[in-house]
Amino acid sequence: MGFLVKLFLFLVWAVAAPCALGLLPCALLPKEKRTVSVLCLSGYCVTFSLFALVYMPMLLLTKEGRFTPLVVAFTIVSLAAIAAGGVLCGGRGGVTLSLRKPGREEALLWAVFAALLLFELYMAYTRASFDGDDAYYVVESVLADQQDSMYRILPYTGGATSLDARHALAGLPMWIAYLARMTGAHATILTHSLLPLLLIPLTDLAFYGIAKRLFEHAAYGSAASGGRGGEGALRCRLPAFMIVIALFQIFGNVSIYTPETFLLMRTWQGKSVFANLIVPVAFLLLLWIAKAYREQAGGKERLFLWIWLLCLNLAAGLCTSMAVALLTLLLGAGAFWISAANRNFRILRDTVIVCIPNALHMALLLFLH
């Protein structure tokens, strides 16, 4: 019974609450574009960004670095944001559930992808891989939950230590500790057993969004040139693309440094979340921004994209300090290409503005060092 209660609380605080947080930015979108995938991906970016905004003052402006005030503050902020998003989106009816009966070939391809995904999840759960970095990151989550101290205890010895800015500014272990506190589950169990079941499908959801944008563009170009295109062309391409992605993930362990290895064996680490979730979402947003400006989408939709991109930058800082520099370079290059293609350098200007948190993060890191 205790396990079922903890599992239920995990589904509430690690799945339902982050997805519900996506209602707040999605209120800017027309209802037909508030799909489940957009809601989930934007919701987790909002979750990580809000956690980063609450976490940094609690870490740096309190002498003891106590964890409990962070838990209370973030819970209040999250519930308030969820309530505001629910009101602005018009309640449960404000999300589009695009359910249709797939064709036989499409259904077969989706079934193959589902089998591959279930295999990944089964192996991640039953063959939990222990990494040397667990001695630091996982123990920091345990210490925060059980000792109510953030980065003030040395994980290797248990003795008191000064703030290690390099590791402390990447607060993803504290979000894991937050889940441990809210669910009652041990942080180690959350890290190794439950989080892979969440983060692996979330990564696939980001690749699904990328594929949908790419194939929509290809279908649009085919239709514009007089060829056969449109929505029907997507139906088999999408699951086929996802099957290829799943195969790359399963057989990508060609070295210990590949993103696929990190995804399946070090899923919970900040560098894995950055490589396998933050970067794909960045590509998804760049593709969406290019389409929005090419088709002259409404101002609210473009505002939604920039808010999401701002949240993505804040979320990157929660993963690892190096991530903010890499993401800034990626977004800068992508924005320059989109600006040049659309002859609209306001895109590059707005990208620079939403990357300001990255510059502040690096400046804070240098200052603390």
Side-chain angles (χ1 to χ4, degrees):
M1 182 62 69
F3 169 77
L4 294 178
V5 171
K6 292 176 182 179
L7 180 61
F8 172 76
L9 291 174
F10 176 80
L11 294 175
V12 170
W13 293 106
V15 180
C19 291
L21 277 169
L23 291 170
L24 189 58
C26 283
L28 294 168
L29 289 175
K31 182 180 177 180
E32 63 272 10
K33 293 187 178 182
R34 297 177 198 159
T35 61
V36 174
S37 60
V38 172
L39 184 74
C40 292
L41 290 173
S42 62
Y44 276 95
C45 289
V46 172
T47 299
F48 292 149
S49 61
L50 285 180
F51 190 85
L53 291 174
V54 177
Y55 165 70
M56 286 297 183
M58 294 291 182
L59 175 73
L60 300 175
L61 302 181
T62 58
K63 183 177 180 180
E64 300 85 3
R66 290 185 59 218
F67 179 64
T68 299
L70 170 63
V71 173
V72 174
F74 180 65
T75 302
I76 293 173
V77 170
S78 297
L79 293 177
I82 290 172
V87 171
L88 293 173
C89 283
R92 188 176 61 181
V95 178
T96 298
L97 297 175
S98 55
L99 299 177
R100 60 174 178 79
K101 185 178 180 179
R104 182 179 300 178
E105 292 182 358
E106 182 188 5
L108 178 60
L109 290 172
W110 279 121
V112 172
F113 167 71
L116 292 173
L117 176 59
L118 288 175
F119 174 75
E120 291 180 74
L121 298 179
Y122 170 79
M123 295 299 289
Y125 183 82
T126 60
R127 306 291 192 272
S129 175
F130 291 89
D131 182 75
D133 285 345
D134 291 356
Y136 191 94
Y137 296 111
V138 178
V139 177
E140 284 290 4
S141 299
V142 175
L143 289 172
D145 179 34
Q146 298 185 356
Q147 300 297 322
D148 201 34
S149 176
M150 297 187 294
Y151 293 101
R152 297 315 200 277
I153 300 175
L154 190 64
Y156 304 128
T157 63
T161 184
S162 58
L163 182 68
D164 181 1
R166 173 176 170 267
H167 293 98
L169 291 186
L172 192 65
M174 296 302 104
W175 181 68
I176 297 174
Y178 172 81
L179 294 180
R181 178 69 63 87
M182 298 301 290
T183 62
H186 197 281
T188 306
I189 296 174
L190 275 172
T191 298
H192 285 278
S193 298
L194 295 181
L195 282 182
L197 305 182
L198 169 66
L199 295 174
I200 293 173
L202 202 60
T203 294
D204 287 337
L205 201 60
F207 280 107
Y208 170 81
I210 292 174
K212 192 173 182 180
R213 295 292 166 189
L214 288 174
F215 292 139
E216 281 178 350
H217 180 72
Y220 172 81
S222 176
S225 61
R228 296 179 61 186
E231 184 179 353
L234 294 174
R235 295 185 177 179
C236 289
R237 295 178 185 178
L238 276 172
F241 179 89
M242 297 308 299
I243 289 172
V244 172
I245 292 296
L247 290 174
F248 272 120
Q249 291 170 349
I250 293 172
F251 296 103
N253 185 28
V254 296
S255 81
I256 63 173
Y257 300 111
T258 63
E260 295 84 1
T261 300
F262 274 75
L263 174 65
L264 299 182
M265 301 178 68
R266 305 167 74 172
T267 317
W268 54 89
Q269 295 180 10
K271 38 189 171 281
S272 175
V273 174
F274 172 71
N276 293 294
L277 181 61
I278 301 297
V279 170
V281 173
F283 277 103
L284 168 61
L285 283 174
L286 288 172
L287 290 170
W288 194 344
I289 288 171
K291 179 182 178 182
Y293 279 86
R294 183 181 67 249
E295 298 180 357
Q296 298 182 344
K300 287 187 176 180
E301 180 177 344
R302 284 181 282 180
L303 178 60
F304 162 78
L305 293 173
W306 293 119
I307 291 175
W308 189 355
L309 197 59
L310 176 65
C311 292
L312 187 71
N313 284 309
L314 290 167
L318 200 68
C319 295
T320 168
S321 296
M322 179 61 71
V324 297
L326 296 176
L327 185 61
T328 301
L329 292 174
L330 170 63
L331 293 177
F336 179 81
W337 178 79
I338 296 172
S339 298
N342 289 273
R343 298 180 182 179
N344 183 356
F345 282 89
R346 287 182 298 176
I347 299 174
L348 182 60
R349 179 203 63 189
D350 293 341
T351 303
V352 171
I353 292 174
V354 298
C355 286
I356 289 176
N358 295 348
L360 295 177
H361 185 104
M362 295 304 297
L364 180 61
L365 179 63
L366 293 174
F367 174 77
L368 293 176
H369 269 297

